[in-house]
Amino acid sequence: MRNVKDRKTIRKYSKKEVDDNMLRRLLETAERTPTMGNLQLYSVVVTRDADMKRQLSPAHFNQPMVVEAPVVLTFCADFRRTTLWAKQRKASPGYDNMLSYVNAATDALLYCQTFCNLAESEGLGTCFLGTTVYMPQMIIDILKLPRLVMPVATITLGWPDEHPLMTDRLPLSTIIHDETYHDYTPEDIDNAYLEKERLPENRHFVEINGKETLAQVFTDCRYTRKDNEAMSATLLETLHNQGFLDLSKSEVD
């Protein structure tokens, strides 16, 4: 049993398969996750087939673990199922909007995190792929996701074949705000990021990227304004195509 305080992201996996009964048991247990209105506004696509993983790989910038992991799980915000149920029960659903997407995305992410905690407690390793929201249309096309279904998270899953070092985290005092939000002074920011910036691996990160500070690595190299704006436009377009931002069309084809 692994303590959540000791958890690590796993990117390399052994050849041992993940038993399907075990996987489904974990997914079923994770259904106890809190959910809006007890509607469970999520679905998960389980990918084991090698060719399907190869198809998904470019959507995740060809990160090796996508094809090497025994299982890839794509967690989706899903208001389609609820909408179809409502229509079949003489109800009038109104879920083709941003609020409904946010609610479904929240449900899906909570479910994903609960599943990860359960899987890791049994010795499995996971890697959360933030790339899911970068090129969602490619994932939608490959997985044949219909309207009102939107991918929001992907994890790779398998038995660990590595023992990576623990990554750093900000001090608790940095993220806690008692009663009301208190804005950060320059001194607060220095105290919050001092240890992170002093780590040898992060100092090396700054050096190899030819930057002056660690913050510049994130703003100039990893998460640039240009990329953020381009991917934001793509995300909005995809939400429109999937029916969450288009009130002029019927909710379900």
Side-chain angles (χ1 to χ4, degrees):
M1 299 289 286
R2 187 182 304 165
N3 190 307
V4 70
K5 288 188 69 174
D6 300 322
R7 77 156 304 278
K8 304 171 183 178
T9 293
I10 301 298
R11 295 179 173 84
K12 295 182 181 179
Y13 304 94
S14 73
K15 299 297 183 181
K16 181 181 177 181
E17 288 296 326
V18 176
D19 179 73
D20 195 57
N21 289 332
M22 179 185 191
L23 174 60
R24 292 182 181 276
R25 172 173 58 80
L26 293 170
L27 289 168
E28 182 178 22
T29 303
E31 286 191 275
R32 301 313 305 171
T33 299
T35 170
M36 194 200 81
N38 198 27
L39 290 173
Q40 294 182 251
L41 304 171
Y42 51 78
S43 288
V44 57
V45 180
V46 180
T47 303
R48 290 182 179 271
D49 181 76
D51 181 62
M52 287 293 290
K53 287 187 282 188
R54 282 193 292 271
Q55 291 182 52
L56 285 171
S57 183
H60 300 291
F61 296 173
N62 294 307
Q63 296 178 85
M65 57 275 196
V66 175
V67 295
E68 294 172 359
V71 183
V72 175
L73 300 174
T74 305
F75 293 81
C76 302
D78 186 344
F79 240 121
R80 183 177 184 86
R81 181 176 60 247
T82 303
T83 295
L84 290 172
W85 171 60
K87 285 178 174 289
Q88 289 181 207
R89 296 297 183 270
K90 302 179 181 179
S92 300
Y95 307 126
D96 53 349
N97 44 64
M98 178 58 81
L99 179 63
S100 297
Y101 168 69
V102 170
N103 285 330
T106 300
D107 264 22
L109 291 170
L110 287 170
Y111 179 64
C112 175
Q113 183 59 67
T114 298
F115 172 82
C116 287
N117 289 343
L118 292 169
E120 290 168 359
S121 74
E122 299 209 19
L124 287 161
T126 68
C127 180
F128 183 93
L129 304 180
T131 45
T132 305
V133 295
Y134 292 173
M135 292 189 283
Q137 191 62 55
M138 185 180 297
I139 297 172
I140 288 166
D141 293 341
I142 294 168
L143 300 183
K144 303 186 186 321
L145 304 182
R147 285 172 60 82
L148 296 182
V149 181
M150 184 77 177
V152 295
T154 302
I155 67 165
T156 55
L157 178 74
W159 299 102
D161 194 29
E162 65 171 343
H163 300 282
L165 297 174
M166 296 283 289
T167 52
D168 63 280
R169 292 293 188 266
L170 294 174
L172 182 63
S173 59
T174 300
I175 65 170
I176 296 297
H177 302 258
D178 290 320
E179 307 302 341
T180 61
Y181 190 100
H182 63 270
D183 207 355
Y184 298 94
T185 66
E187 182 181 10
D188 290 334
I189 294 297
D190 288 340
N191 291 334
Y193 290 91
L194 182 61
E195 290 303 315
K196 179 186 286 286
E197 293 170 335
R198 283 179 172 174
L199 289 172
E201 57 267 36
N202 285 338
R203 293 174 67 178
H204 179 63
F205 201 25
V206 174
E207 181 181 354
I208 63 175
N209 281 283
K211 295 299 176 181
E212 181 181 358
T213 69
L214 183 62
Q216 290 175 350
V217 176
F218 285 90
T219 61
D220 300 353
C221 304
R222 297 198 66 188
Y223 306 108
T224 68
R225 175 182 293 277
K226 178 182 178 182
D227 288 344
N228 288 337
E229 290 179 347
M231 288 185 285
S232 292
T234 297
L235 181 60
L236 289 172
E237 180 182 3
T238 307
L239 283 169
H240 171 87
N241 293 340
Q242 290 302 102
F244 283 106
L245 293 180
D246 190 355
L247 299 179
S248 65
K249 296 181 179 180
S250 62
E251 289 173 325
V252 177
D253 291 337

